Amino acid sequence: MEMSTNKINAANAEISATVTAGDLDKHFDNMAKELSKQANIPGFRKGKVPVSAVKKQYGERLMQDAESQAVREALNIGLDALKIAADALIGEPQFSKFDKKEDGTIEMTIKVAMRPEFDLGDYQAKVPDFKAPKITAKAVTDRIQEIAKAQAPFVDIEEDRAVEDGDTAVIDFEGFVDGEAFEGGKAEEFPLNIGSGQFIPGFEDQVIGMKAGDEKMIDVTFPESYGSEKLAGKPAQFKVKLHKIQTKEKVRMDAKLAKQLLPGEEDATIDMVKEQVQKQLENEERGKLFNEKLKPELLEAFVAAYNFDLPEFVVEQEMDMALNNKAREMSEEELAALRDDQEKVKELRETFRDDATRSVKATFIIDALAKAEGINVNEQEVMQTIYFEAMQTGQDPQATYDHYRDSGYLPAIQMAMVEDKVLSGLLNAKTATTEE
C-alpha cells in the first residue's frame, strides 16, 4: 500500500492511499480463512469448510469487507503518520476520492477533521462593563396597580356618563352583511373592553360616546385577512344596544392589597410587595438587556477575539443547511430557475459561507467556554424546557418533544441552551463584580 499524508491546517488533513489488488487479495484470503472456521455450508462439517468453498459462497461480500478493511488500515496508518489521536477526530472521515481501476487497484483520498484547539486566555476580561437596569419607584407602583387591577372585580358606573376608552361596555349586538344576519354575529350582554382590539377595527371606536340604554347602528368592514371567506373584506352593520358601563374597582395600596398579593405571608406589607416587584422588574429588564443587546454583542466579541482553523466539512454542512432553508422560502419559479442552472446554485450557496463560518466558529467557542465554566445541559433539561414551553403555548408537550426529536432538532436546542447559560453566567458574574 502506497501512502501519503497532508496536514492542511490544525483542523483538517488528507490521507491518500493506493491499495493494490495484491493488498486486497491478502485481506480477502485472511477473511476467508477466518470465516471457514465458523461458516455453515451444506455438505461440510462446521469448522471443516474448505477456504475455496467459502470464497465461492461469500466471495462478493468478502471482497466488500476486504475493501473496508483496506480503508480502515489506510486511515489508521495515516493518522499515526499525522500524529492525530482517534479521539481528536470530529465527525466521520470523508472520501474526496475513491477510484477503482480495472486492474483491481483502488486510489483513495480520505479527508479527516479535528476538533479545533485554542487558548481562551483571560476570557472573563472580554466581558464588557455595563450598568445594571435601574427601576424607578413609579415603575414599581405601576406594576403593582396593574397586577391588582387584573384581579379587581368589575363595578357598575352609577354616574350618567358616556363610554370612554378603557371602560367595559356591556352590550347586545347583532351583525348583518347585505342585510342578512350572519352566523356567530350575535350576542347578549357581552362585556367589551374598549381599547382591547377584540372586535373588528372601528367597532370599539363607535361604541365610545354611547350611554346606558342607547341603541346604535355601527358600520364596519371586515379585514381582507378575516378567517371566514364569506365575511372577509365585506362591509357590515351591527345593531348595538348598551346596557351598562363597567370599570375595574379602584386599586388601594394598603395592607389588604399586600395580603392579597402575598398569600401565606404573615404581616404582609405594601413595602414587602414593592421589594418583590422591584426584584421582578430588575430581572425582567436585565433579561431584556441580556437577550437583545449584551449576549449578541458578547458572542460577537468572542468571535472577533479568537482565530483558529475550522473543520471544513462542518462549515460545508452549515452552508448546505442555509441553502435548504433559503430554498423553502423561494417560489416555484425561482426554484425552477435554479434547477436549470447549477452555477447559480453554487453562487447562491457561496453567499452563505461567511455566516456559516461565523456560526461554526461561535459554536466551538461556546463549547470551549462551557468546559471552562463547567456548564452542561443534559437531555433531561432539554426535555423539561420543551415541555414547559409547549404547555405555555397550549401544545401537547410529549408530541412537541417527539417532533423535535424525530426532526433532529434536539442537538441544536441543547446547544442554544448551553450558549444561553454560558453568556448569561459571564454577564451575571460581571454584574456581581460591578455591584460590589
Side-chain angles (χ1 to χ4, degrees):
M1 181 187 296
E2 295 180 11
M3 295 281 304
S4 65
T5 59
N6 175 27
K7 193 161 187 179
I8 300 169
N9 54 39
N12 302 278
E14 284 185 339
I15 299 167
S16 296
T18 300
V19 181
T20 66
D23 295 326
L24 290 175
D25 286 342
K26 287 179 184 178
H27 291 304
F28 183 87
D29 290 341
N30 290 335
M31 290 179 174
K33 288 176 183 178
E34 286 300 314
L35 186 56
S36 69
K37 298 174 184 178
Q38 52 188 334
N40 287 315
I41 296 179
F44 300 98
R45 284 186 296 157
K46 188 174 181 180
K48 299 295 183 179
V49 179
V51 173
S52 59
V54 171
K55 289 181 179 180
K56 183 178 180 181
Q57 180 80 10
Y58 300 104
E60 185 176 346
R61 196 191 84 184
L62 285 171
M63 184 51 70
Q64 290 174 352
D65 291 344
E67 290 178 1
S68 297
Q69 181 63 35
V71 170
R72 286 193 294 271
E73 184 179 34
L75 180 62
N76 291 334
I77 294 172
L79 291 177
D80 287 342
L82 290 164
K83 295 183 171 54
I84 298 174
D87 60 3
L89 297 180
I90 181 170
E92 293 294 326
Q94 309 285 315
F95 283 102
S96 60
K97 178 182 180 182
F98 192 86
D99 188 9
K100 296 174 71 171
K101 306 292 186 182
E102 289 185 6
D103 63 358
T105 300
I106 298 176
E107 293 180 357
M108 68 179 83
T109 300
I110 306 171
K111 284 189 171 185
V112 295
M114 292 78 76
R115 183 175 294 278
E117 292 185 2
F118 57 98
D119 183 12
L120 285 170
D122 185 9
Y123 58 88
Q124 290 96 340
K126 294 179 174 62
V127 183
D129 292 324
F130 62 92
K131 292 182 179 179
K134 298 296 182 183
I135 305 301
T136 64
K138 181 179 183 304
V140 173
T141 300
D142 288 348
R143 173 59 64 87
I144 293 172
Q145 289 181 336
E146 180 184 321
I147 296 170
K149 188 176 180 180
Q151 301 179 31
F154 282 100
V155 292
D156 295 343
I157 292 177
E158 300 297 338
E159 62 182 294
D160 182 24
R161 72 165 176 82
V163 175
E164 299 174 358
D165 189 23
D167 287 339
T168 294
V170 180
I171 60 172
D172 295 343
F173 65 85
E174 185 174 11
F176 302 86
V177 170
D178 296 330
E180 297 290 332
F182 56 87
E183 187 178 354
K186 182 177 181 179
E188 294 181 354
E189 296 194 9
F190 182 89
L192 175 61
N193 184 10
I194 305 300
S196 65
Q198 283 178 275
F199 277 25
I200 306 163
F203 188 101
E204 293 171 20
D205 293 338
Q206 295 178 63
V207 174
I208 292 175
M210 292 180 68
K211 290 186 176 183
D214 284 356
E215 295 187 16
K216 184 178 183 179
M217 295 298 293
I218 289 178
D219 294 308
V220 292
T221 300
F222 282 96
E224 295 290 345
S225 59
Y226 194 72
S228 170
E229 292 184 7
K230 293 181 179 179
L231 301 177
K234 295 286 185 67
Q237 277 194 321
F238 282 84
K239 182 179 180 181
V240 177
K241 179 178 180 179
L242 176 65
H243 288 286
K244 57 186 175 181
I245 306 170
Q246 294 184 323
T247 188
K248 286 279 190 174
E249 192 175 65
K250 189 174 181 180
V251 175
R252 296 179 183 276
M253 303 278 282
D254 54 17
K256 181 180 178 182
L257 176 62
K259 289 178 180 179
Q260 182 182 354
L261 297 181
L262 297 175
E265 185 73 47
E266 293 185 11
D267 303 320
T269 65
I270 203 67
D271 285 338
M272 293 168 65
V273 174
K274 288 180 178 180
E275 182 179 350
Q276 183 166 314
V277 170
Q278 173 93 17
K279 290 178 180 177
Q280 181 185 16
L281 289 174
E282 286 175 354
N283 288 335
E284 288 178 7
E285 289 301 310
R286 180 177 298 182
K288 184 178 178 181
L289 177 64
F290 280 13
N291 292 326
E292 295 181 3
K293 177 177 171 58
L294 295 180
K295 284 197 284 189
E297 288 181 356
L298 180 55
L299 186 57
E300 287 301 323
F302 282 136
V303 169
Y306 298 112
N307 289 307
F308 51 89
D309 297 318
L310 297 173
E312 291 177 5
F313 87 91
V314 181
V315 176
E316 296 293 328
Q317 285 179 345
E318 192 76 13
M319 291 170 65
D320 288 338
M321 190 181 305
L323 180 62
N324 289 335
N325 290 338
K326 179 66 176 178
R328 293 190 189 99
E329 301 171 359
M330 299 173 75
S331 66
E332 281 299 323
E333 292 77 12
E334 290 172 321
L335 288 172
L338 284 179
R339 290 190 197 102
D340 295 336
D341 192 338
Q342 287 305 305
E343 282 303 313
K344 281 188 177 180
V345 175
K346 290 179 182 178
E347 289 174 9
L348 177 60
R349 183 178 182 276
E350 196 61 29
T351 63
F352 301 116
R353 184 173 294 280
D354 288 345
D355 285 343
T357 299
R358 178 211 163 276
S359 177
V360 172
K361 187 178 181 183
T363 298
F364 284 114
I365 291 171
I366 290 296
D367 185 57
L369 289 169
K371 289 177 181 175
E373 292 286 304
I375 290 173
N376 181 48
V377 173
N378 58 38
E379 186 179 343
Q380 184 67 22
E381 288 180 83
V382 175
M383 178 180 286
Q384 288 173 351
T385 299
I386 293 172
Y387 267 52
F388 179 76
E389 291 182 356
M391 288 188 288
Q392 289 284 87
T393 56
Q395 300 179 64
D396 182 330
Q398 185 62 50
T400 303
Y401 177 81
D402 291 344
H403 168 69
Y404 286 144
R405 181 197 60 210
D406 297 341
S407 302
Y409 294 149
L410 294 186
I413 294 172
Q414 184 179 36
M415 191 64 216
M417 291 173 65
V418 170
E419 178 181 310
D420 182 69
K421 274 191 174 185
V422 167
L423 299 179
S424 294
L426 292 173
L427 290 168
N428 281 323
K430 177 65 76 169
T431 306
T433 303
T434 305
E435 291 176 349
E436 286 178 358

